[in-house]
Amino acid sequence: MDTTPETRARMSRQKSRNTEVEMALRRALHAAGLRYRVHRKPLKGVRREADVLFGPAKVAVFVDGCFWHGCPQHATWPKTNADFWRAKIEGNRRRDMDTDERLASAGWLAVRVWEHEDPVEAAARVVAFVRARRARSDRR
């Protein structure tokens, strides 16, 4: 792949864990009274890690970057190495869909939060899912 040293340096600095958006979401979830695990695999044998995990409720939250996961609102397609980046981003999308399907098959709910979303609003959505699933399991 033909890239400039500047591009290579910029891309290598992109955080994959504990991003600002992820930390803001976690603070809002914690403020709502929820406790969770971070960066855990919801399913054994599947090499995919949720950013925030609610084990007993079986809710796995993924905070997706607009560039890396091809956000329908904000994704951009680079002009340099266009074929490489299109394949990379589309591969990420396919992996995300596969992850969601595997989790659903095992009784989990995958929640996707885009980096551009307001973290408080996203947290409210997650809180509603977690509480609903907890209430449902309490009725059993």
Side-chain angles (χ1 to χ4, degrees):
M1 180 171 71
D2 186 28
T3 76
T4 66
E6 295 81 19
T7 300
R8 209 172 5 269
R10 186 177 67 249
M11 293 310 225
S12 71
R13 286 192 303 268
Q14 297 295 316
K15 291 174 70 172
S16 62
R17 291 175 157 223
N18 303 323
T19 63
E20 282 184 45
V21 177
E22 185 182 327
M23 297 302 291
L25 175 68
R26 287 172 22 197
R27 280 191 296 274
L29 292 169
H30 194 274
L34 295 184
R35 300 302 177 256
Y36 46 81
R37 302 282 182 190
V38 296
H39 304 292
R40 297 285 173 98
K41 294 177 187 176
L43 300 176
K44 291 182 182 185
V46 178
R47 293 181 47 212
R48 302 197 186 134
E49 197 176 81
D51 295 308
V52 180
L53 192 70
F54 298 92
K58 289 192 170 185
V59 175
V61 181
F62 300 87
V63 180
D64 293 341
C66 291
F67 174 77
W68 296 106
H69 295 267
C71 170
Q73 289 180 319
H74 302 107
T76 57
W77 298 103
K79 292 174 180 51
T80 305
N81 296 316
D83 292 338
F84 169 82
W85 286 111
R86 185 165 292 276
K88 171 72 175 154
I89 293 166
E90 288 175 352
N92 289 347
R93 286 174 158 173
R94 282 191 301 276
R95 186 191 63 231
D96 292 345
M97 287 190 318
D98 179 65
T99 299
D100 294 354
E101 290 168 6
R102 287 176 185 236
L103 289 171
S105 294
W108 284 78
L109 173 65
V111 179
R112 298 267 167 195
V113 174
W114 288 107
E115 73 175 324
H116 68 262
E117 288 186 67
D118 177 87
V120 174
E121 290 176 14
R125 195 170 81 240
V126 171
V127 167
F129 286 133
V130 170
R131 288 188 176 149
R133 290 179 67 96
R134 284 179 177 168
R136 191 175 68 196
S137 69
D138 289 345
R139 283 181 265 167
R140 291 182 191 164

